[in-house]
Amino acid sequence: KREKDNGLKIIFMSFFFFYVAHSSIFLKLLLCWSSQDRNFMEGLIGMRHQLDKLHSLLKVIDPELIRHLNKKVPNPSHPGEQLYFCFRWLLVLFKREFTIDETMRLWEVFWSQHLSQHFHLFFAAALLTQQTREIIAQDMSFSDVIRHVNGLADCIDLDLTLVEAERLCRQLLAHPNHNLPSDLHDVRPQLAWLGPTPNMD
């Protein structure tokens, strides 16, 4: 219950701080709530659902990380339990990882649903794939990974991670549909939503 209450406070306080002078606040709040309401249901069932989807996504795009986590958390009650260090990210949509201005930029990307209605999962995956080499090289325990991930706050390159998240969207789009886990079919981006591959130069 404390996690749920704190998450709600963070989301709504952020909106009022940034949008108090804008007439569009009500519509933005509705959009926020429509995408996040399940996260705050009794038992946080929406959070478990999202962590499980993120786990399935990482199995496809970063199997090395999943193999490492399988060794450190060998018998999870559900797949997403291995990713509980991402809980804060998904509960408050990375609010604690960025400045308020960066957070609002990021949220507007999420709610535009330009690439996928689940783009926040690609963004989380992009953050993790950037850390995979270090996590494996240091043979981090689950507790070590939690500390490492929590230490990323205010140290993340937002633009670089957005570009990487789009690259992962394209990677999943190119993956044979029949080989995808069933819970990724609604996560997979639509071809029409993706324009030319961005120039990284």
Side-chain angles (χ1 to χ4, degrees):
K1 187 176 188 301
R2 181 178 299 174
E3 292 276 8
K4 176 174 71 173
D5 292 344
N6 286 344
L8 283 170
K9 287 177 183 176
I10 288 171
I11 286 177
F12 284 105
M13 285 176 67
S14 298
F15 268 104
F16 281 108
F17 176 82
F18 190 78
Y19 287 116
V20 67
H22 296 258
S23 60
S24 59
I25 183 172
F26 182 66
L27 292 178
K28 290 181 183 292
L29 284 170
L30 286 180
L31 186 56
C32 167
W33 186 250
S34 67
S35 64
Q36 293 295 102
D37 59 342
R38 290 190 67 208
N39 290 351
F40 301 100
M41 290 180 178
E42 192 66 31
L44 299 174
I45 187 171
M47 287 302 304
R48 172 172 173 168
H49 183 65
Q50 289 198 69
L51 289 169
D52 285 348
K53 279 184 179 291
L54 179 56
H55 190 277
S56 293
L57 181 59
L58 288 166
K59 282 177 68 176
V60 173
I61 64 178
D62 196 354
E64 277 190 288
L65 178 60
I66 293 301
R67 283 194 291 270
H68 178 81
L69 294 174
N70 283 340
K71 292 188 295 183
K72 303 305 177 181
V73 189
N75 297 300
S77 60
H78 62 97
E81 185 178 356
Q82 294 180 331
L83 298 174
Y84 268 175
F85 48 83
C86 301
F87 188 95
R88 182 178 80 183
W89 289 357
L90 301 184
L91 183 68
V92 296
L93 290 178
F94 307 92
K95 165 63 184 70
R96 293 182 176 176
E97 319 313 313
F98 297 102
T99 66
I100 187 68
D101 288 341
E102 288 175 325
T103 299
M104 292 305 153
R105 279 183 56 210
L106 180 60
W107 285 4
E108 292 201 5
V109 171
F110 291 161
W111 296 327
S112 73
Q113 299 186 0
H114 172 59
L115 299 174
S116 168
Q117 63 178 320
H118 300 284
F119 189 66
H120 61 293
L121 297 182
F122 288 95
F123 189 83
L127 279 177
L128 289 176
T129 57
Q130 292 170 12
Q131 307 304 316
T132 295
R133 182 176 298 178
E134 186 172 354
I135 289 171
I136 293 175
Q138 297 186 19
D139 194 26
M140 292 186 188
S141 67
F142 188 66
S143 297
D144 292 334
V145 176
I146 292 174
R147 284 191 290 271
H148 180 74
V149 166
N150 286 343
L152 295 176
D154 298 321
C155 300
I156 300 167
D157 186 321
L158 176 57
D159 292 325
L160 180 66
T161 308
L162 283 169
V163 170
E164 176 64 10
E166 179 172 343
R167 187 190 70 79
L168 295 180
C169 279
R170 295 175 183 279
Q171 181 179 332
L172 191 68
L173 182 63
H175 196 278
N177 195 52
H178 64 275
N179 286 338
L180 283 180
S182 59
D183 62 343
L184 288 186
H185 288 166
D186 66 327
V187 173
R188 194 169 187 255
Q190 299 298 313
L191 180 60
W193 292 352
L194 292 172
T197 302
N199 189 343
M200 298 294 290
D201 297 333

